[in-house]
Every structure is written in C-alpha cells, then in structure tokens.
Amino acid sequence: MLSIGIFTYSTKPRGSVVHATYLAEALSRRGHDVTLYALSKAGDLLYRGVDCRVVYLNAGKAPTEPDALIRQRVHEVAVGLGERRPRHDVYHAEDCLVASGLLAKRAELKLKPLVRTLHHLEHFASPYLRDCQRRSILEADAVACVSQVSQRDVKRELARDCPIIGNGVDVARFAVDTALEQQTRARFGLSPSDRVVLSVGGVEPRKNSFCSLAAMATVLRQHPDVHWLIAGGASIWEHDQYRAGFRDQLSRLPPDVRARILELGPVTEQELTGLYGISQLLLCPSLQEGFGLCVLEALAARTAVVVSEGEPFSEYLTSEVACFVQPSSKASIAEGVARLLQDAPLRERLAEQGESHARGFAWEQVALAHERLYHRTLFQTSRRFIATNEDLAHA
C-alpha cells in the first residue's frame, strides 16, 4: 500500500479536477491511502463528494492579472504545505500551478517523488507562465501525458520522454435515469419535445466557441425544436474579452435563435449527468485538447458526439463511434450536427457503439497504470539517492 497525495488547483469540475477526483477514488479502491488536496476559494467544497480523504488549501481573493494570480495561487499552495507538512510516498500534481507550489517546498519538506500529469501543453504568452509550466514538467520525477499529442508536444518542446496514461470514465454513473432527465428538463426550462445539443467546458478560445456559435446559429434556424446548451466554464483564466465577443455575436442573432442558446455556467456533477441524458449529441469541435474527457462521458451516456478531426480524438475514437468535423469550418460543424439531428438511425448507432467503446476506459485501469508509474518512479528515485550518497562517500 502506498500513501499518495494528489493535488489539484480548484474545487470546480474542470478536466484536471475531475481526473484528480476519479483517480483518487480508484486508487483508494485498490487499497492505497489517498489524500486529495484542492485549492479552495471562500471555503468552496469540491464539486462532488469524493470517497477518500480531502484536504482544502486556503485560496484568497486574487488579482485578475495572470502572472500575479498564478504567483499568489502557487504561494498559497506552498503555505498550505508548510502548515500541514504532509508525509506521503508519492506527491502527484495535476497541473503546473500546484506542481510549482510543491516544488517551492520540495527541499524543505522532502516532497519526493513528484509525479505530474500533463493534460495539455499550454502556449503561454507570459515568460513567467511558460517558465512555471516548463519547470513543473522538467523538475518532476515522472510525467504522465494523457494523449499522444501531449506526449509529442513535451518531447518536441522540452525534450522529455513521457509515458501515456489516458483518461477513464465511470460508465455506471450514466445509467438511464428517467427521473433525473425530467428534473433536468424542468431545471433548464425544456419541454419533453425539445431536442438538445450540449457543449461542455464553457466559452473560451480553445473550445472554438466562436466557430461553434456560427455553426449552431445555422442549425437552430433550420431546427426550431433544437436548443444549444453550454455547460461549464470554471477556469482559472477568465477569458473576459473572448466571452464579451461571443455575447456580442450572440446578441446579433434573431431573437428566436438567441433564446435557444443557453450558457449554463458551472453545473454540479448530477446536473451534468442529467444534461448528457437529455442531449441528442455532444458538440466538441475543440482547437486544443489534451484528451477531451467530456467526449468519453458523452459516449458512456449513449450520447452521439461531434468532434474535431485529428488528434487527440482520433487517438481513441473512430468513425464507428464519432462524427468528425473540420474545427476551422463553421459549414463542416453545422453539417455534422445537422446530419446527426436528421438521421436518427445513425445517431442511435453511434450512441450504442459509443457506449460499448467507453466501457474499455475504466478508471481502475487508469489507477493501475498510475500505480505502476509510482512504483517505477520510487525505485528510480531511491537508486539515484543511493548513487548520490555513494558518490559523496567517495568524494
């Protein structure tokens, strides 16, 4: 049994936070002593209950300027570590922010080994943020990438070889629940006859929200019973200017179209489960993804998916379970969505095969792969420690 500390930057249901919660639970089920650490603003609790020990690190009000915000959050992680002085066999950081906090206290508290999950390599304009990300990858004892595209980015830009450990999904969570679906429709003002296209992740550049809006405006004009629901958006980056532009474009649409586009903001896990259940399809034409966890969740919920062609989606999806579109083309996105809305047999076939495909991505397998990585890293760091001491002894 290992003592494992898993660290994440937020309590909100962003991809890396969801990964942290499910990985923590799966490792706990395998008999390990797992503690999940999360930065918490204003006493916020995790977006869902987690079946392992949870420790919250206090995060105060922070400036909006990115560099200053990250510096403060890194400092708050370091302060929380200094106060609690945790002792684990493995320290696992889910993002560069908490990894930087761990690195700041690494020598003082002997926080080794440090394992880092890389969901996707960000292309920051800020030198400070680039260095923050770079150090969190190069100074970690091991890095696991969630996809080939993330692995290739790290190899190309930082010359580090990293194993791939992908995402998982809890298929049982998405069993048909008629009562929940009825509650979800009532919660968001939808009638039983309304059809739903769902997007997850909020409005931001890498989600390709502008192009999606243009495509969905075309679809909604053609299908007056269809609503586009956009869930999520709890990011450390506010994307205020981008969102303002999105809403400006939204305001220019005809009222009957505009009324059927709903930004829901962050939702609970139960609400998101219900949204998958009532949706005819998930629209995810992202410009940048490390993996795209929401796609795997949609498949598990028997919801057809429209995704960007190419990586990372082509790594784990085929045309038998997904509809691929060109993310830079609003016409391609609109055509893909309209095709699935109009062709019920195709939509049902993709949904059925997608659910079967999702069953191959159990969190238990993800936990086993991490367990092997932890043991390998512990062995390697112990060998380096012995070699270093022998060198000192002969100096």
Side-chain angles (χ1 to χ4, degrees):
M1 181 186 77
L2 295 174
S3 173
I4 304 164
I6 299 180
F7 295 77
T8 184
Y9 79 97
S10 177
T11 59
K12 305 301 183 186
R14 295 293 289 183
S16 63
V17 182
V18 173
H19 184 278
T21 61
Y22 277 100
L23 176 60
E25 289 181 324
L27 287 166
S28 293
R29 288 193 295 270
R30 289 189 57 79
H32 299 290
D33 180 17
V34 182
T35 303
L36 179 60
Y37 297 81
L39 269 177
S40 171
K41 293 180 285 186
D44 288 345
L45 302 181
L46 275 166
Y47 71 98
R48 69 177 182 89
V50 180
D51 193 17
C52 72
R53 186 182 305 108
V54 177
V55 171
Y56 293 103
L57 306 177
N58 294 328
K61 187 179 171 94
T64 57
E65 194 275 319
D67 285 10
L69 185 153
I70 296 300
R71 282 193 177 94
Q72 178 169 319
R73 295 293 182 240
V74 169
H75 176 70
E76 288 163 342
V77 172
V79 168
L81 290 167
E83 292 173 347
R84 291 163 179 79
R85 308 185 75 81
R87 287 289 174 262
H88 299 293
D89 298 315
V90 176
Y91 300 83
H92 184 151
E94 286 277 357
D95 52 82
C96 70
L97 190 158
V98 293
S100 296
L102 286 161
L103 287 171
K105 285 290 185 178
R106 185 179 203 176
E108 176 189 341
L109 301 180
K110 298 181 173 59
L111 306 179
K112 287 180 70 70
L114 173 60
V115 175
R116 164 91 154 88
T117 292
L118 182 71
H119 296 273
H120 60 269
L121 195 67
E122 295 276 8
H123 297 99
F124 295 117
S126 160
Y128 168 74
L129 294 177
R130 287 199 303 270
D131 183 62
C132 181
Q133 176 175 248
R134 180 179 178 278
R135 289 184 62 246
S136 76
I137 295 169
L138 293 180
E139 296 185 23
D141 295 291
V143 178
C145 295
V146 298
S147 64
Q148 291 175 14
V149 65
S150 297
Q151 181 191 56
R152 189 173 60 248
D153 285 347
V154 173
K155 177 64 175 177
R156 182 183 65 247
E157 298 188 26
L158 298 176
R160 177 159 194 173
D161 292 310
C162 305
I164 296 174
I165 304 178
N167 267 303
V169 68
D170 178 11
V171 175
R173 168 187 159 193
F174 300 101
V176 175
D177 187 335
T178 302
L180 176 59
E181 291 178 12
Q182 290 174 343
Q183 293 170 11
T184 303
R185 286 189 175 275
R187 165 77 175 80
F188 297 110
L190 300 167
S191 74
S193 61
D194 287 332
R195 294 191 293 170
V196 175
V197 174
L198 176 67
S199 291
V200 176
V203 172
E204 61 177 78
R206 71 184 186 91
K207 295 297 182 181
N208 203 16
S209 301
F210 274 22
C211 199
S212 296
L213 175 60
M216 285 305 300
T218 298
V219 172
L220 295 176
R221 288 188 182 98
Q222 297 170 347
H223 300 276
D225 63 329
V226 173
H227 294 245
W228 182 31
L229 273 54
I230 307 168
S235 172
I236 197 167
W237 314 116
E238 295 303 326
H239 306 294
D240 288 342
Q241 186 174 355
Y242 188 86
R243 289 174 181 165
F246 180 90
R247 286 163 189 156
D248 178 64
Q249 293 298 315
L250 181 62
S251 70
R252 299 169 188 268
L253 296 177
D256 65 310
V257 172
R258 187 169 64 245
R260 288 179 284 129
I261 300 174
L262 305 177
E263 285 187 73
L264 307 181
V267 297
T268 67
E269 182 171 74
Q270 184 180 44
E271 287 173 335
L272 183 57
T273 303
L275 286 167
Y276 285 125
I278 66 169
S279 298
Q280 275 61 51
L281 60 94
L282 175 83
L283 174 60
C284 186
S286 297
L287 297 174
Q288 182 190 18
E289 287 285 354
F291 185 93
L293 181 57
C294 64
V295 174
L296 206 52
E297 292 180 338
L299 295 180
R302 294 180 61 90
T303 302
V305 299
V306 175
V307 299
S308 302
E309 61 185 10
E311 297 174 318
F313 302 117
S314 59
E315 295 179 29
Y316 64 95
L317 303 174
T318 69
S319 58
E320 296 298 312
V321 300
C323 173
F324 291 95
V325 297
Q326 298 174 17
S328 61
S329 168
K330 64 181 181 182
S332 177
I333 296 172
E335 181 182 351
V337 172
R339 182 186 177 204
L340 291 189
L341 288 173
Q342 294 162 1
D343 192 339
L346 172 61
R347 191 172 67 244
E348 289 301 316
R349 184 166 68 251
L350 289 176
E352 181 178 352
Q353 293 173 339
E355 182 196 25
S356 177
H357 186 66
R359 292 184 180 278
F361 293 82
W363 279 111
E364 282 66 27
Q365 294 303 311
V366 177
L368 177 59
H370 278 88
E371 183 180 302
R372 291 168 176 162
L373 177 63
Y374 296 156
H375 282 297
R376 186 164 65 247
T377 306
L378 282 164
F379 175 72
Q380 291 168 346
T381 53
S382 65
R383 288 190 64 183
R384 286 198 295 269
F385 176 78
I386 292 170
T388 300
N389 283 346
E390 289 178 346
D391 290 342
L392 291 173
H394 292 92

